[in-house]
Amino acid sequence: MTTERLNIVIPMKGLNRSKQRLRSVLTNDQRETLALSLFRETLRFFVHHYPMHHVLVVTECSAIALQAKSFNVSVLYEPTNRSLNGALNLATIWSKENHYSHQLIIPADIGHLDKQELDMVLAKRQQHDVVIVTAKDMGTNALLCSPPDAIEFCFGHQSSTKHAQQAHRAGLIPEILTLPDLSLDIDNGQDLQRWSFPVYGDYTYE
């Protein structure tokens, strides 16, 4: 019998490519600072609340890799600038090769992570092989799969619907959740107004 092991995968673009939809309201430096602040808060949340689970950051960015290592989490450094789905496929191969039975994919731009919501998502893995948490625009803000490659990844426009369709094609019945905080990633100026982040500060990556 395989022991249950969960790998939490956090994909992260290079800072210069992050938060492109905020270009009309933030400067390049402000967008990079915001992306880094959200990323660090995401790592801090999982390291503090879920030390029993493994965290893997997949990134093309050496600065992000250094930040991840400062939190003592694993890094899959993939410098060839793949698409999000391509990077997640590599992370899934890593999860399988390292014998993880479950994989949770979660972005690093949720405005506020709530432990009760995450506990609810993780508890669903006892009954469902695929758990999808919808974003406000019907994207996917969390995807829990067992095995990690249970479905093909379709992150992008309307991806929650596409992920549910992939699950049905695989003969699986997905659990689809809409949760108040997990549905709210920061993509535009209106999202930004909900929270206060240090978008004017400077970070050093050494």
Side-chain angles (χ1 to χ4, degrees):
M1 181 177 179
T2 303
T3 302
E4 180 184 290
R5 301 176 71 221
L6 171 67
N7 189 28
I8 299 168
V9 172
I10 302 172
M12 186 67 185
K13 296 177 183 177
L15 290 173
N16 63 338
R17 296 201 304 121
S18 297
K19 299 291 128 208
Q20 291 292 315
R21 282 183 277 183
L22 288 169
R23 292 177 69 180
S24 63
V25 294
L26 295 178
T27 67
N28 290 343
D29 286 346
Q30 288 169 349
R31 287 189 295 105
E32 290 185 13
T33 302
L34 172 64
L36 184 57
S37 177
L38 288 165
F39 175 65
R40 289 176 59 85
E41 286 303 310
T42 300
L43 290 184
R44 190 173 289 113
F45 174 86
F46 283 104
V47 168
H48 176 71
H49 290 294
Y50 299 99
M52 72 292 291
H53 298 310
H54 184 266
V55 175
L56 175 70
V57 172
V58 55
T59 188
E60 73 210 36
C61 177
S62 58
I64 289 296
L66 285 173
Q67 289 289 317
K69 290 176 182 177
S70 74
F71 283 86
N72 294 316
V73 303
S74 298
V75 175
L76 180 58
Y77 183 54
E78 210 302 297
T80 59
N81 205 19
R82 294 174 186 259
S83 67
L84 173 59
N85 292 311
L88 290 173
N89 286 334
L90 288 180
T92 301
I93 292 170
W94 190 98
S95 293
K96 295 275 289 183
E97 288 179 344
N98 287 275
H99 310 293
Y100 285 93
S101 57
H102 294 70
Q103 178 175 271
L104 173 68
I105 296 170
I106 190 161
D109 63 350
I110 306 297
H112 174 70
L113 290 167
D114 180 86
K115 186 176 185 296
Q116 288 186 331
E117 289 187 357
L118 265 296
D119 285 346
M120 183 186 304
V121 173
L122 295 180
K124 295 291 183 181
R125 74 186 187 275
Q126 305 300 330
Q127 296 87 31
H128 297 274
D129 294 320
V130 176
V131 181
I132 301 162
V133 180
T134 62
K136 61 185 181 303
D137 60 357
M138 296 306 295
T140 304
N141 272 4
L143 179 63
L144 178 61
C145 292
S146 177
D149 59 354
I151 63 172
E152 182 178 345
F153 302 131
C154 306
F155 284 91
H157 182 65
Q158 299 284 310
S159 64
S160 60
T161 299
K162 294 174 183 176
H163 284 137
Q165 291 170 344
Q166 288 291 336
H168 287 297
R169 288 193 188 105
L172 304 171
I173 299 175
E175 175 78 355
I176 302 174
L177 302 174
T178 301
L179 300 171
D181 285 330
L182 267 179
S183 68
L184 298 176
D185 47 345
I186 296 181
D187 281 331
N188 54 48
Q190 189 175 24
D191 299 333
L192 194 58
Q193 291 175 2
R194 293 189 179 97
W195 295 278
S196 296
F197 289 100
V199 296
Y200 297 101
D202 293 322
Y203 283 90
T204 56
Y205 305 134
E206 291 79 38

